[in-house]
Amino acid sequence: MKNDMSGSMAKSNSELIQAFKNLLGKEHVAVGKRRTEHFVTGWRSGKGTALAVVFPQNLVSFWQVLKLCVESDCIMVMQAANTGLTEGSTPSGSDYDREVVVINTLAMDKLLLIGEGEQVVSFPGTTLHTLEKKLKPLDRTPHSVIGSSCLGASIVGGIANNSGGTLVKRGPAYTELSLYAWVNAQGELKLVNHLGIELGDTPEAILTNLEKGQFKPSDIHYDCGKASATDYVAKLRDVEADTPSRFNADPSRLYEASGCAGKIAVFAVRLDTFPKPKIEQTFYIGTNDPSTLSTLRREILTTFKAMPEVGEYMHRDIFDIAEQYGKDTFLSVKYLGTDQLPKMFAMKAKIDAVLNRVPFLPIFISERVMQGVAKLFPKHLPYRMLQFRYQFEHHLILKMSDDGIDEAKAYLSNFFTDNSAAGGYFECDAEEAEKAFLHRFAAAGGAMRYQTLNQSKVGDILALDIALRRNDSDWVESLPESISCDIDKRLYYGHFFCHVFHQDYILKKGADAKAVKTKMLRLLDSRGAKYPAEHNVGHLYEAESALQSFYRKLDPTNSFNPGIGKMEKHKRNCSCC
């Protein structure tokens, strides 16, 4: 037994585990290496250990779990779908100074509509997929769409990590309206209601009323903060600015839950939704000259009255990798839909975790099976896309809506008529548009699959997401020989109008990934780029000073997710430090 910072008598490990079981039921508490392995292992990399993984089923029990953890002086790692790419939603190693409890929030997945759906309140486990389904009959769309790496991402996870940006008009996931718990400098757990909704005076009353939707329209305030990044279009149109349009450590996007990276426990966030366009049209653009796309970007952002809905870039090399190694993802989404896929991927990860321990089986056997099955299906990409792949190195998928469609048609027709050597484009029919975006969606998974299935021939994968300056016309990087000599494949894709790029490097066998990354980040620094752009620092990147200050303000005792941003893991504001 030991005293915690608040003066309460801490429970022993066995007593704490039993208290979790009494509170949540045995089936909602995982203990031991086998039962916790999936939840302490990152989506792409990273692994740690935990005393327990707990699964609160409602907001009040979530609060009570936090109280038990604080009373016993435990570290709390918040986790929803565990789809982060920088190890930020799992423990990292076993060198913490306190016991670690992972709190998985996926069971708390309610979504409340405000008004006619103009805004929503999302619970901590609600996914983007759920939000899209809920809004569809209302002819409204969410702040973000399902990303390029996974299908199960949660709404709160996106807010906490400043994710998103695929939708040009809406920018990164952001809100100033949230309900969260934090541990203050005196070690006291406090609940903060900044949702802009009157819900009661005590934590239990607030959480119960929210859970049951027990509040009136008159309890909702509309003048208490932003529920989306309303200034983003103006930032994008400023193409002469010498800074990126969005990046993880942008101080203007750090506000309580937004950008918190699990340094507080978020119970709910309130977000804007948006009217669904009446009509949409996708244009597929190809060129061998990067300056062509630079010109298109600048002129569309500065001269068009209507902004694009989406503008996704793919290089020919990632086109090829996604075609071959992302085919099963493409076919699964197209023919099975997205309803069950998050559960299927989670089940696949658990199966891999078990089978990878069997000595006589090849590792990642499920990946090999899925790859083999996909090969049995006929070609899945449209003829015109494949023709552009052979003609052009650089590809841009541009989606316009409503009044912007005619604007884009006139502009692209004139541009390529006057500059026939610059490249070409075609207007996608409905099937081509769907397949173009599915192909782009499969890119990140395709890169991972390639590296996984070719581990005997290639080294690690170095995955970076970077934000270039808005005025940077030289967006195609030129690598020095000291870096390129260690790279087997360079795979480039991203959100072109935002100048945010995903750059996956498959290293040569034997290459030192840490050394290559150090050189690469030094090169990016010299270009004025920011990283990571939208996947958070996690345990892979050093947090900039402004971001470190933000984390310390949210979590003065270092009780939540310590060590992210390569910061200290030990307790702060205590007698020992």
Side-chain angles (χ1 to χ4, degrees), residues 3-19:
N3 286 318
D4 66 16
M5 291 172 59
S6 64
S8 300
M9 190 65 72
K11 293 177 170 61
S12 68
N13 289 349
S14 58
E15 288 174 329
L16 180 59
I17 291 169
Q18 187 58 52

Side-chain angles (χ1 to χ4, degrees), residues 248-249 254 259 536-537 543-552 567:
N248 188 255
L254 302 176
N536 210 300
V537 291
E544 295 185 8
S545 58
L547 190 57
Q548 290 195 28
S549 297
F550 177 64
Y551 289 161
R552 289 193 174 102
M567 295 171 65

Side-chain angles (χ1 to χ4, degrees), residues 210-227:
L210 182 62
E211 185 94 47
K212 296 181 178 180
Q214 294 180 162
F215 54 88
K216 305 182 295 296
S218 58
D219 293 325
I220 303 171
H221 303 287
Y222 292 93
D223 57 352
C224 48
K226 293 181 178 182

Side-chain angles (χ1 to χ4, degrees), residues 77-136:
V77 175
M78 310 308 304
Q79 181 185 94
N82 191 18
T83 55
L85 301 183
T86 56
E87 306 177 10
S89 52
T90 56
S92 179
S94 56
D95 57 338
Y96 295 95
D97 61 346
R98 293 149 288 166
E99 296 289 356
V100 176
V101 175
V102 175
I103 304 173
N104 187 287
T105 63
L106 270 185
M108 297 171 286
D109 59 357
K110 287 187 178 180
L111 187 74
L112 307 178
L113 299 179
I114 293 181
E116 298 299 317
E118 295 90 353
Q119 289 187 330
V120 296
V121 174
S122 167
F123 284 26
T126 312
T127 64
L128 274 173
H129 176 62
T130 299
L131 178 58
E132 286 182 303
K133 284 181 61 179
K134 190 92 168 183
L135 293 178
K136 190 172 183 179

Side-chain angles (χ1 to χ4, degrees), residues 192-208:
V192 178
N193 180 12
H194 286 169
L195 272 181
I197 303 174
E198 299 294 337
L199 292 166
D201 299 321
T202 67
E204 289 75 12
I206 291 169
L207 297 172
T208 299

Side-chain angles (χ1 to χ4, degrees), residues 302-378:
T302 57
T303 67
F304 275 33
K305 292 181 180 178
M307 287 285 280
E309 293 289 329
V310 180
E312 291 295 292
Y313 167 77
M314 294 183 75
H315 185 271
R316 178 190 280 155
D317 290 344
I318 189 64
F319 185 108
D320 293 345
I321 289 291
E323 181 186 11
Q324 183 176 353
Y325 291 92
K327 187 176 180 180
D328 61 300
T329 298
F330 179 106
L331 295 173
S332 297
V333 176
K334 179 169 176 58
Y335 295 110
L336 300 180
T338 55
D339 281 5
Q340 298 302 316
L341 287 181
K343 293 179 182 177
M344 288 171 55
F345 282 129
M347 185 181 300
K348 172 186 159 306
K350 292 179 181 178
I351 291 172
D352 279 336
V354 173
L355 296 183
N356 286 348
R357 291 196 291 261
V358 181
F360 57 83
L361 290 177
I363 61 170
F364 302 112
I365 191 170
S366 67
E367 298 278 356
R368 300 174 191 279
V369 170
M370 292 165 69
Q371 183 70 13
V373 170
K375 287 182 178 179
L376 301 177
F377 287 80

Side-chain angles (χ1 to χ4, degrees), residues 149-207:
S149 55
C150 54
L151 286 163
S154 69
I155 295 169
V156 166
I159 292 293
N161 293 317
N162 293 132
S163 301
T166 299
L167 300 176
V168 178
K169 296 178 180 177
R170 298 169 209 177
Y174 179 76
T175 186
E176 296 169 1
L177 308 176
S178 64
L179 174 64
Y180 65 91
W182 73 304
V183 176
N184 66 17
Q186 290 72 46
E188 301 165 329
L189 182 69
K190 299 292 184 181
L191 187 70
V192 178
N193 180 12
H194 286 169
L195 272 181
I197 303 174
E198 299 294 337
L199 292 166
D201 299 321
T202 67
E204 289 75 12
I206 291 169
L207 297 172

